[in-house]
Amino acid sequence: MNTSTHVNEKIYDLAIIGGGINGVGIAVDAAGRGLSVFLCEQDDLASHTSSASSKLIHGGLRYLEHKEFRLVREALAEREVLLEKAPHVIRPMRFIMPHRPHLRPAWLIRTGLFFYDHLGKRKKLLGSNNVYFKADSPLNAAITQGFEYSDCAVDDARLVVLNAVQAREKGANVVTRTRCISAHRENEFWVVHLESKQQGKYQIKAKALVNAAGPWVAKFIREDLHLKSPYGIRLIQGSHIIVPKLFDGDKAFIMQNDDRRIIFAIPYLDKFTMIGTTDREYSGDPALVQISTEEIDYLLSVSNAHFKKQLKHQDIISTFAGVRPLCDDESDNPSAITRDYTLALSKVQKGEAPLLSVFGGKLTTYRKLAESALLQLKPFFPQMQGKWTAHHSLPGGEQMGTVADLAEKIQQQITDAPDALTNRWASAYGSRIWQIVGAIDSVTELGQNFGHGLFAKEVDYLIDQEWAVLSEDILKRRTKLYLEFEPDQVEGLDEYLVESHKRRSQEIAA
Ligand SMILES: Cc1cc2nc3c(=O)[nH]c(=O)nc-3n(C[C@H](O)[C@H](O)[C@H](O)COP(=O)(O)OP(=O)(O)OC[C@H]3O[C@@H](n4cnc5c(N)ncnc54)[C@H](O)[C@@H]3O)c2cc1C
């Protein structure tokens, strides 16, 4: 690693810290409005909160109980906007809520669902209805009726990567494995000091700094900028377990627990069910968060109270945990802290460069958050163009039709490709799949086979176009094949990546 600091003379309009959904969302919007944008992510894109979510684009039915009408209205409307922008990584999903009258009366749930159906514009998503369970239901026999409504499921990490790809296509410079170690104001600029795992230390200048560091937002202000944070942050851990398919069909369940919290059981990647989430105060390093035994017991007990199939610890295939960076509203109950976002623009003297910090937020509202961020920055960039993201597809979402249509088209060209592969490709890459497969007509032309339908051509694309470096980037965040890969298959992929990076470095040096 190079240890000397070099100065990059380019002066950007915006330097954005953080490659989670909020950082990349602001980057793509700003770049599309004509601003020059630099974004740094200390690890891989989406490697923290933005890949540890419940993977829902949802209004948040339970937020109605906390009277978060602004947030719910905005989030409900965003479901349709995002579904249109990214029909490959986002899909409509029906949610079944078993009725447990001692927890919430039917009239209360019906009222909530009425608001849910009507608060935001709904074109594609179906409205709510009552459901009655027969003997073949996967639920305990005592649960005989409930309600059904619509929201959407999303591949959270791919949503982040696609926004980063689009930001780059609009001219942004997106760098990963590069930490902002400090920044200070020098007259009308921010001087941003960076440490890259590949390039060593360097610095850039920008006219405005955007702090989208998620769980690190307040620490970054205090420790790296040596300023006072305008808001407190509450770090609230949420964890999930993944088990073999608990029920058939493509509908999810939303279960009410005796503590009045709700837990989802969501069909995941055809073979699995994802169960979560929890809510508990967290005080450690957000990068080290892990599910606890109490959280596992809690999630199993809620599932077992609802489903006929009783789960034990040994049924768990995998777990994941994340930390919600919530704006501190001094609520006693972690579940009740606002999920809405707050943007803090630092007070600036005339001629001083602004700092905009992002507190809180949801995957669902990232696009609206980005629009609000740019509205706040508009006075500093009067030449900035207007809003544009609502009606532009994300990469791969353009001219793809449905996932099923696209999967069929791929199979017409690559006739020996199995359904599982063409479906995975269609829902991960949308119409960008043609950049990976080109004109080939057999899987034998896809290069080295690492197992479970992962071939060299896809891996090369992920390295060249999607910032993938390690096998974890590819298996956990770009493809979600990590649940299937055996250790020796991961080793095979690791070896290929080492060789591939060596070859690329030699080509650059030559
Ligand atoms: C359990 C759980 C379930 C959730 N479920 C949902 C859901 O179903 N639907 C929904 O809409 N929302 C959901 N959310 C909320 C959503 O996931 C978050 O609001 C969102 O991902 C936050 O994104 P972010 O960009 O602010 O933070 P992050 O994704 O954490 O990104 C911040 C990034 O900044 C980087 N960074 C920090 N400091 C530096 C530095 N100095 N230099 C460079 N990089 C730096 C970090 O490495 C990190 O990658 C859930 C959250 C959790 C925890």
Side-chain angles (χ1 to χ4, degrees):
M1 188 174 88
N2 178 2
T3 50
S4 64
T5 300
H6 67 270
V7 180
N8 183 334
E9 284 305 328
K10 182 165 168 62
I11 298 172
Y12 293 91
D13 290 325
L14 293 191
I16 301 173
I17 313 304
I21 191 65
N22 290 326
V24 296
I26 295 170
V28 75
D29 195 346
R33 293 179 196 225
L35 299 191
S36 61
V37 175
F38 172 89
L39 181 146
C40 66
E41 163 55 49
Q42 62 187 355
D43 297 314
D44 181 26
L45 294 168
S47 47
H48 296 287
T49 317
S50 297
S51 59
S53 79
S54 301
K55 310 185 197 314
L56 301 177
I57 297 296
H58 63 160
L61 186 56
R62 74 174 189 87
Y63 308 147
L64 287 173
E65 273 187 335
H66 300 295
K67 303 191 177 60
E68 299 228 40
F69 295 113
R70 193 213 75 79
L71 170 64
V72 178
R73 182 182 288 113
E74 183 171 287
L76 285 170
E78 274 305 280
R79 298 178 307 182
E80 299 266 354
V81 176
L82 297 179
L83 199 51
E84 197 70 31
K85 278 173 74 72
H88 44 336
V89 294
I90 301 177
R91 66 181 199 283
M93 189 172 261
R94 294 292 283 172
F95 285 74
I96 298 172
M97 180 188 279
H99 184 40
R100 302 181 73 197
H102 66 289
L103 296 176
R104 287 175 184 86
W107 68 263
L108 182 66
I109 297 174
R110 269 195 216 105
T111 309
L113 288 173
F114 176 82
F115 280 116
Y116 215 69
D117 283 346
H118 294 98
L119 265 179
K121 262 194 222 131
R122 205 162 40 77
K123 284 184 288 177
K124 286 198 170 150
L125 297 172
L126 300 174
S128 61
N129 54 259
N130 293 344
V131 280
Y132 301 92
F133 306 114
K134 301 200 185 109
D136 61 354
S137 146
L139 296 166
N140 288 334
I143 303 175
T144 54
Q145 51 181 300
F147 309 89
E148 200 179 292
Y149 66 94
S150 293
D151 264 325
C152 298
V154 62
D155 183 332
D156 49 5
R158 289 209 58 76
L159 185 68
V160 174
V161 171
L162 294 181
N163 273 281
V165 169
Q166 191 162 53
R168 186 188 56 212
E169 289 174 355
K170 299 274 174 198
N173 182 7
V174 175
V175 296
T176 62
R177 298 179 154 87
T178 302
R179 192 172 116 70
C180 173
I181 46 181
S182 67
H184 65 273
R185 285 187 173 107
E186 221 172 72
N187 305 320
E188 68 272 40
F189 300 117
W190 280 99
V191 179
V192 182
H193 297 268
L194 301 153
E195 186 164 24
S196 148
K197 291 192 175 135
Q198 256 200 326
Q199 293 178 46
K201 289 187 179 168
Y202 65 103
Q203 67 184 47
I204 55 131
K205 284 185 177 175
K207 295 179 191 158
L209 185 65
V210 175
N211 170 9
W216 289 270
V217 59
K219 186 171 178 278
F220 179 74
I221 299 176
R222 278 194 319 268
E223 296 180 14
D224 299 329
L225 304 182
H226 305 290
L227 297 172
K228 195 168 172 288
S229 176
Y231 297 101
I233 192 96
R234 292 279 285 279
L235 297 182
I236 304 297
Q237 172 172 356
S239 303
H240 292 80
I241 57 175
I242 296 173
V243 297
K245 210 174 189 175
L246 190 53
F247 46 84
D248 289 327
D250 53 8
K251 294 181 181 175
F253 287 82
I254 167 168
M255 305 175 278
Q256 306 176 67
N257 191 35
D258 293 339
D259 59 7
R260 294 187 68 78
R261 294 196 61 259
I262 53 103
I263 305 289
F264 293 106
I266 303 171
Y268 190 53
L269 304 173
D270 294 336
K271 298 181 185 163
F272 310 104
T273 300
M274 178 173 76
I275 302 174
T277 171
T278 53
D279 269 308
R280 62 177 209 163
E281 210 91 38
Y282 184 76
S283 58
D285 177 352
L288 301 177
V289 63
Q290 275 188 340
I291 194 167
S292 68
T293 315
E294 297 86 68
E295 286 176 291
I296 292 180
D297 290 339
Y298 175 81
L299 294 174
L300 291 179
S301 74
V302 179
S303 177
N304 289 341
H306 284 79
F307 289 97
K308 283 180 187 144
K309 184 166 178 194
Q310 298 293 290
L311 293 172
K312 300 192 193 68
H313 278 243
Q314 53 267 39
D315 294 313
I316 297 172
I317 290 172
S318 183
T319 65
F320 61 91
V323 177
R324 302 173 183 86
L326 303 181
C327 196
D328 190 0
D329 61 5
E330 289 171 12
S331 174
D332 295 337
N333 172 2
S335 300
I337 303 170
T338 181
R339 264 51 174 169
D340 211 345
Y341 52 83
T342 303
L343 298 173
L345 185 67
S346 62
K347 286 204 182 78
V348 281
Q349 310 295 330
K350 202 171 168 1
E352 216 178 41
L355 163 68
L356 184 79
S357 299
V358 175
F359 290 82
K362 309 255 328 145
L363 283 168
T364 309
T365 48
Y366 84 91
R367 199 193 61 80
K368 294 296 284 183
L369 181 152
E371 284 185 348
S372 306
L374 290 172
L375 189 64
Q376 298 225 17
L377 290 169
K378 173 91 181 153
F380 303 92
F381 301 99
Q383 81 286 8
M384 187 198 291
Q385 291 156 25
K387 298 177 189 179
W388 66 278
T389 53
H391 303 296
H392 276 75
S393 299
L394 281 168
E398 60 287 269
Q399 293 161 4
M400 66 161 269
T402 65
V403 166
D405 291 344
L406 180 59
E408 201 180 309
K409 258 192 221 152
I410 303 168
Q411 213 156 38
Q412 279 163 7
Q413 179 180 310
I414 309 175
T415 45
D416 56 353
D419 289 351
L421 180 58
T422 54
N423 281 326
R424 181 175 72 74
W425 278 345
S427 52
Y429 301 105
S431 52
R432 294 280 163 120
I433 187 60
W434 305 115
Q435 291 190 9
I436 300 179
V437 299
I440 66 158
D441 57 13
S442 165
V443 288
T444 56
E445 295 169 62
L446 288 166
Q448 187 173 338
N449 182 356
F450 303 99
H452 306 284
L454 184 70
F455 292 89
K457 264 199 185 294
E458 184 176 352
V459 171
D460 292 344
Y461 174 87
L462 294 174
I463 298 170
D464 292 338
Q465 302 297 324
E466 295 196 357
W467 296 270
V469 176
L470 302 178
S471 54
E472 184 187 298
D473 306 346
I474 293 172
L475 298 176
K476 267 204 163 163
R477 289 177 285 276
R478 306 300 188 285
T479 65
K480 303 278 192 296
L481 287 170
Y482 74 104
L483 292 171
E484 318 246 9
F485 261 57
E486 298 295 335
D488 60 320
Q489 293 173 318
V490 177
E491 233 171 76
L493 179 58
D494 283 334
E495 279 164 21
Y496 180 85
L497 291 173
V498 169
E499 282 309 309
S500 161
H501 292 308
K502 230 191 262 167
R503 201 178 53 244
R504 279 158 213 263
S505 311
Q506 282 162 359
E507 278 165 14
I508 292 168

